[in-house]
């Protein structure tokens, strides 16, 4: 597994002798620690011959968004597990992080999108909804989960659009029921060119060894 942080993200958490820049955010350090712990936990349930691809940044952001609507021990445990406890102005930090995360030029395209799909009957705390939009760029869309298939299609279509067709049918059939209250979605899209392109003419058949 490869965990890579774009330069903008890696540098954003550093301070020089002149002090810390206004772009500083403590989120990358928390992400790095959370990423390795998450990989270690998941890899224990996988065989050494299986491929493993995860997006720790997506999971971290989803949990941070979840913490906004939580209280007490639940919130404390989320922040402790993600190593986000003690970070002041957490929302502002994530807003900067998400902005730094997104990159688009001739060689690299990296973008992220967050969305909350809530039941039409769900009572939501207005301040939480406003903070999700302000800090995580996550807008709330009301759906009729009484019609699970229609709701599933709306969510899947949104994910497919944000990933430029790379992820389809994220939520499988029967993945949503009339009892569903909320679905929080993070979509991550990456496309980049190789710095050192592989020469296809040098390809040859051979035995592939693992480990």
């Amino acid at each position: 597994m490869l965990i890579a942080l774009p330069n903008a993200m890696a540098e954003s958490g550093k301070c020089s002798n002149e002090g810390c820049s206004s772009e500083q955010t403590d989120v990358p350090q928390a992400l790095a620690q959370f990423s390795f712990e998450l990989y270690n936990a998941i890899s224990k349930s996988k065989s050494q011959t299986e491929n493993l691809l995860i997006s720790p940044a997506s999971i971290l952001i989803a949990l941070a968004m979840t913490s906004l609507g939580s209280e007490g021990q639940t919130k404390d445990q989320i922040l402790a597990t993600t190593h986000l406890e003690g970070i002041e102005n957490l929302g502002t930090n994530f807003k900067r992080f998400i902005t730094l995360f997104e990159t688009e030029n001739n060689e690299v395209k990296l973008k992220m999108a967050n969305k909350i799909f809530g039941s039409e009957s769900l009572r939501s705390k207005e301040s939480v909804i406003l903070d999700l939009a302000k800090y995580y760029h996550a807008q709330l869309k009301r759906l009729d989960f009484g019609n699970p298939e229609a709701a599933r299609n709306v969510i899947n279509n949104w994910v497919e659009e944000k990933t430029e067709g790379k992820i389809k049918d994220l939520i499988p059939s029967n993945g949503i029921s009339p009892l569903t209250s909320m679905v929080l979605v993070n979509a991550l899209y990456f496309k980049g060119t190789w710095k050192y392109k592989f020469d296809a003419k040098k390809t040859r058949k051979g035995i592939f060894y693992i480990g």
Side-chain angles (χ1 to χ4, degrees), residues 17-83:
N17 293 332
E18 289 74 27
C20 301
S21 71
S22 60
E23 293 300 314
Q24 180 192 3
T25 168
D26 296 319
V27 173
Q29 287 87 345
L31 172 61
Q33 191 168 356
F34 174 70
S35 297
F36 288 110
E37 292 178 357
L38 177 66
Y39 172 71
N40 287 333
I42 295 178
S43 63
K44 290 179 182 179
S45 63
K46 300 286 185 179
S47 71
Q48 294 185 352
T49 59
E50 289 184 277
N51 290 322
L52 176 60
L53 176 63
I54 57 175
S55 172
S58 296
I59 298 172
L60 184 75
I61 290 173
L63 288 172
M65 292 169 63
T66 303
S67 72
L68 274 179
S70 61
E71 297 178 345
Q73 187 177 13
T74 299
K75 185 168 187 173
D76 292 342
Q77 290 179 344
I78 292 175
L79 296 179
T81 300
T82 54
H83 302 285

Side-chain angles (χ1 to χ4, degrees), residues 98-129:
I98 292 172
T99 300
L100 291 168
F101 196 96
E102 297 180 333
T103 303
E104 184 168 0
N105 52 48
N106 292 332
E107 297 180 346
V108 177
K109 187 174 185 179
L110 179 62
K111 62 181 183 178
M112 177 184 293
N114 299 305
K115 191 80 171 181
I116 308 155
F117 297 93
S119 169
E120 293 177 341
S121 60
L122 180 67
R123 295 177 60 184
S124 305
K125 194 173 181 179
E126 187 64 24
S127 60
V128 173
I129 299 303

